[in-house]
Amino acid sequence: TELVDADNDPGTDGVFNIMLSGANYGTPAIADVDNDNELEVIVGSRDGNLYVQNPDGTSLPGFPFAAGGDITNSPAIGDINNDGLKEIVFASSNFLVYALNVNLVQPPGWPAGANMNLDYDASPALADLDGDSFLDVIICAGNGTAYAFRGQNGWLFPGWGFILYDAGGSKVGLSSSPAVGNLDADPEYEICFGGNDGKLYAFNVDATLVDGFPIGTNNSIEGGPILWDIDDDGLTEVVAQSLDENVYVWDSPGTFDPDDQPWPMFYQNSRRTGEVNSEVWVTVGTPDILNPTGLALAPNHPNPFGSQTAITFRVPEGDPEPTQLQVFDLGGRLVRTLFDGLATPGTHEVSFDGKNQLGQRLGGGIYFYRLDTPGNSISRKLVLLP
């Protein structure tokens, strides 16, 4: 059932908006930009217009907004100047990056200049890069330029606005939308994106390359990378797809904190809302990993953790069994016994506060926890933050 019959044709289904041009490559964003507790649909078009519509299909006052150039990227949503109104950040082929609020007002210094000249342009990312409580804007351009703008005034971060060149001296086209997260041992964010030269780039906030980057593939990387812990080892992995028909996954030394990955993938989250500070993953149903017919040990949560984490295990049906749940360091040394006794059948949960048997705080790093019963042993990995 369609929500709005925008084309006044009962023979079509689901038409919500009719734009004035084809070849629209952007992804719609969903956010409440007018603080009315209802979500709006925000999308740009090659016809040069930014559309913002209520769920009933009506446009917000002043929209569509005519940008003056094609909009082939996807808008990012966030309050970049902390005035209580979310900005809609997007780029146009008239070489401008806009930051409009619902009143069509932009913060000082916006729109900012950027050489957006591809058939389909990279989309912006939002993150507080320097810890000043203001969201900043990161975007890549087709002429090989990478930009990081301060949200509150549109100024470039020192060193940014640089151009990447390939081995032959040509500018590297940048179609990839940037991701922002933690890829190394320092507490600052890193900015990661692909190049049409087949390389994956990662830069520090000061515009220097992250150690180990760029990483080469055999064809263009035009999609945005993902920065996430996909193997539950407490470290951030980098996932990227190349036109060489391969998907790549690399480990990084960056300690993974799911609450500190401001823009870990294209459009910020798995629901593709395009809004900063959204929940990245939404669980709608989880299989019971705690097998009711056998011994089971669940991943601790949260992981990584700072002061407290929970560990759940299950003992199978039958008589109570001698059970131990212990924590070991990487050298195999026992640092804490969390449970040692007869465990009744069913599910049990214990807490671990990151301290050793003497109550002393353990050093940050990777540890193992192991569940032992007669004839059975299961272990998992946890990460304690410094």
Side-chain angles (χ1 to χ4, degrees):
T1 303
E2 62 183 1
L3 188 65
V4 173
D5 186 12
D7 60 353
N8 295 314
D9 183 354
T12 60
D13 188 22
V15 178
F16 185 80
N17 179 22
I18 300 174
M19 294 180 285
L20 304 179
S21 176
N24 293 301
Y25 300 136
T27 298
I30 304 292
D32 178 11
V33 295
D34 58 358
N35 296 333
D36 67 349
N37 296 316
E38 286 191 344
L39 296 173
E40 285 79 48
V41 178
I42 306 118
V43 64
S45 171
R46 192 178 286 278
D47 65 14
N49 289 315
L50 179 76
Y51 296 87
V52 182
Q53 293 171 274
N54 293 304
D56 64 3
T58 58
S59 294
L60 268 60
F63 292 93
F65 169 79
D70 297 352
I71 305 171
T72 59
N73 56 102
S74 305
I77 314 299
D79 183 3
I80 67 173
N81 62 344
N82 294 341
D83 67 349
L85 292 176
K86 298 169 185 174
E87 276 72 42
I88 304 167
V89 181
F90 64 97
S92 173
S93 65
N94 61 348
F95 303 141
L96 293 175
V97 180
Y98 293 86
L100 291 173
N101 68 20
V102 67
N103 299 319
L104 303 180
V105 175
Q106 302 189 67
W110 295 91
N115 197 340
M116 313 304 291
N117 63 351
L118 289 180
D119 182 44
Y120 56 93
D121 284 314
S123 300
L126 305 181
D128 179 5
L129 296 179
D130 56 358
D132 66 352
S133 298
F134 286 92
L135 291 171
D136 305 305
V137 178
I138 309 98
I139 194 168
C140 300
N143 73 332
T145 308
Y147 301 92
F149 298 102
R150 297 186 185 276
Q152 73 269 39
N153 55 30
W155 297 352
L156 280 170
F157 275 78
W160 286 84
F162 59 80
I163 299 176
L164 293 173
Y165 294 89
D166 63 20
S170 298
K171 295 178 180 179
V172 176
L174 298 177
S175 308
S176 173
S177 299
V180 183
N182 185 18
L183 293 178
D184 59 20
D186 67 42
E188 293 186 343
Y189 295 134
E190 286 73 49
I191 297 155
C192 185
F193 53 86
N196 293 0
D197 60 350
K199 293 180 180 178
L200 184 75
Y201 293 89
F203 288 88
N204 297 299
V205 174
D206 65 4
T208 58
L209 276 167
V210 176
D211 288 346
F213 289 87
I215 303 172
T217 70
N218 296 314
N219 209 325
S220 298
I221 301 176
E222 299 189 7
I226 297 175
L227 311 181
W228 204 258
D229 179 9
I230 67 170
D231 59 359
D232 199 32
D233 66 349
L235 301 173
T236 304
E237 279 79 49
V238 184
V239 185
Q241 181 180 17
S242 171
L243 295 187
D244 64 9
E245 303 180 6
N246 292 317
V247 174
Y248 294 85
V249 181
W250 297 280
D251 266 320
S252 86
T255 299
F256 177 74
D257 181 351
D259 297 322
D260 196 29
Q261 299 287 110
W263 202 275
M265 64 185 72
F266 170 73
Y267 243 30
Q268 202 277 331
N269 59 76
S270 62
R271 293 167 295 140
R272 301 293 186 261
T273 65
E275 183 173 4
V276 73
N277 298 326
S278 297
E279 188 175 358
V280 175
W281 304 104
V282 176
T283 302
V284 295
T286 305
D288 185 5
I289 66 166
L290 296 178
N291 182 355
T293 63
L295 186 71
L297 180 63
N300 64 300
H301 60 92
N303 189 36
F305 72 100
S307 59
Q308 199 87 358
T309 190
I311 300 173
T312 303
F313 65 93
R314 184 177 180 85
V315 175
E317 296 299 323
D319 295 330
E321 290 190 309
T323 302
Q324 284 187 323
L325 180 63
Q326 298 175 307
V327 180
F328 300 85
D329 64 18
L330 286 176
R333 293 175 289 269
L334 175 66
V335 296
R336 180 76 176 272
T337 297
L338 300 176
F339 186 93
D340 188 2
L342 289 176
T344 57
T347 301
H348 304 262
E349 182 175 286
V350 297
S351 294
F352 178 41
D353 57 6
K355 297 178 181 178
N356 66 16
Q357 208 70 20
L358 299 176
Q360 300 165 330
R361 172 75 177 182
L362 294 168
I366 298 174
Y367 294 84
F368 295 93
Y369 59 101
R370 190 177 72 202
L371 179 68
D372 291 293
T373 62
N376 291 286
S377 182
I378 306 173
S379 63
R380 288 186 179 272
K381 199 180 296 185
L382 61 79
V383 178
L384 175 62
L385 296 173

